Amino acid sequence: MNPKILILGPPGAGKGTQSERLATEFDVEHVTTGDALRANKEMDISDMDLEYDTPGEYMDQGDLVPDVVVDAMVEEALSDLDGFVLDGYPRNGDQAEALREMTDLDVVLVLDVPEEELVDRLTGRRVCEDCGANYHVEFNQPEEEGVCDKCGGELYQREDDNEESVRNRLSVYHDNTEPVLELYEDHDGYVEIDGDQTPDEVWDDVRSAVESNA
Ligand code: ADP
Ligand code: ADP
Ligand code: ZN
């Protein structure tokens, strides 16, 4: 059986970076609400009677997209999957409750990184437009500037990786998502990881955590 892994941590903690490696190493699907929502930024949600008519309007400001939209996406993505690494969800208590009803989890990883470091990581992030791989202009450079090592795709900067949106996302995390961590503290397979190390060092800890809990 393939492991069911949840990876938690603030924006910029390295969830996407470590999830890519987990997906390859443990042969599981990388399910990420951020990527799923970016692919559906212009989706018409005007019939849902929400504040805005598309997910993109919430995302560009760094606000949470409403639960009804995100819960349905995750439920759809997880159905039929044997193993997965879930990244970017849950981000509040109601989403955590929705997830509990959707699936069980073998491993719950939390990446800890100090706040000052997160701003530098997010404002320097570059993403492959084809495969979604994450790079950094300073901390995690591709071999050739602007080009993805894995697939040759072009790297771009996300619209919401500007300082203003980053600060808002960190405050949204603090208010909505941080309290969710407590709900998992006693969960089987819960492991806190020091995310303030090199990507390879973090990976060593992440891999052993999954190996000993899956
Ligand atoms: P980061 O990698 O910086 O944490 P993500 O790519 O996970 O950012 O998310 C980008 C944006 O997508 C968020 O700022 C938010 O607007 C939206 N989003 C992603 N996941 C969720 C979620 N679980 N609930 C609500 N909104 C979400
Ligand atoms: P998240 O998915 O949690 O928002 P990412 O994996 O996208 O985080 O990483 C955010 C940025 O930080 C990216 O530019 C990435 O290349 C870089 N990064 C990831 N892990 C590390 C690390 N251990 N040290 C320094 N930079 C990192
Ligand atoms: Zn790529």
Side-chain angles (χ1 to χ4, degrees), residues 11-153:
K15 301 183 299 295
T17 302
Q18 298 299 326
S19 294
E20 277 172 44
R21 297 193 187 202
L22 284 166
T24 309
E25 177 86 11
F26 295 98
D27 194 24
V28 292
E29 191 103 8
H30 180 196
V31 176
T32 154
T33 47
D35 286 359
L37 286 165
R38 267 185 294 283
N40 290 286
K41 268 183 105 164
E42 304 307 326
M43 184 169 74
D44 183 3
I45 50 174
S46 58
D47 59 341
M48 289 178 165
D49 206 20
L50 303 166
E51 191 179 356
Y52 298 116
D53 293 340
T54 61
E57 287 167 87
Y58 297 91
M59 297 167 75
D60 288 342
Q61 301 174 53
D63 288 335
L64 294 183
V65 176
D67 295 345
V68 303
V69 178
V70 187
D71 291 347
M73 273 183 172
V74 174
E75 180 143 34
E76 164 77 26
L78 296 187
S79 67
D80 311 329
L81 284 185
D82 228 9
F84 55 79
V85 51
L86 178 59
D87 155 20
Y89 182 94
R91 269 170 143 99
N92 61 35
D94 288 341
Q95 292 183 7
E97 177 57 23
L99 179 62
R100 204 174 58 78
E101 288 177 7
M102 282 177 224
T103 185
D104 50 356
L105 299 164
D106 300 307
V107 190
V108 179
L109 306 173
V110 182
L111 297 179
D112 286 323
V113 176
E115 174 132 1
E116 319 79 69
E117 169 79 10
L118 296 171
V119 177
D120 292 342
R121 285 190 186 185
L122 290 166
T123 52
R125 172 161 62 187
R126 296 293 182 273
V127 183
C128 173
E129 64 176 13
D130 292 335
C131 76
N134 288 302
Y135 297 88
H136 192 281
V137 291
E138 213 179 311
F139 310 141
N140 184 18
Q141 299 175 345
E143 270 163 46
E144 187 185 335
E145 196 184 320
V147 181
C148 178
D149 292 345
K150 292 171 188 96
C151 78

Side-chain angles (χ1 to χ4, degrees), residues 187-198:
H187 196 288
D188 287 346
Y190 176 91
V191 184
E192 278 182 51
I193 286 167
D194 177 8
D196 194 13
Q197 315 177 71
T198 67

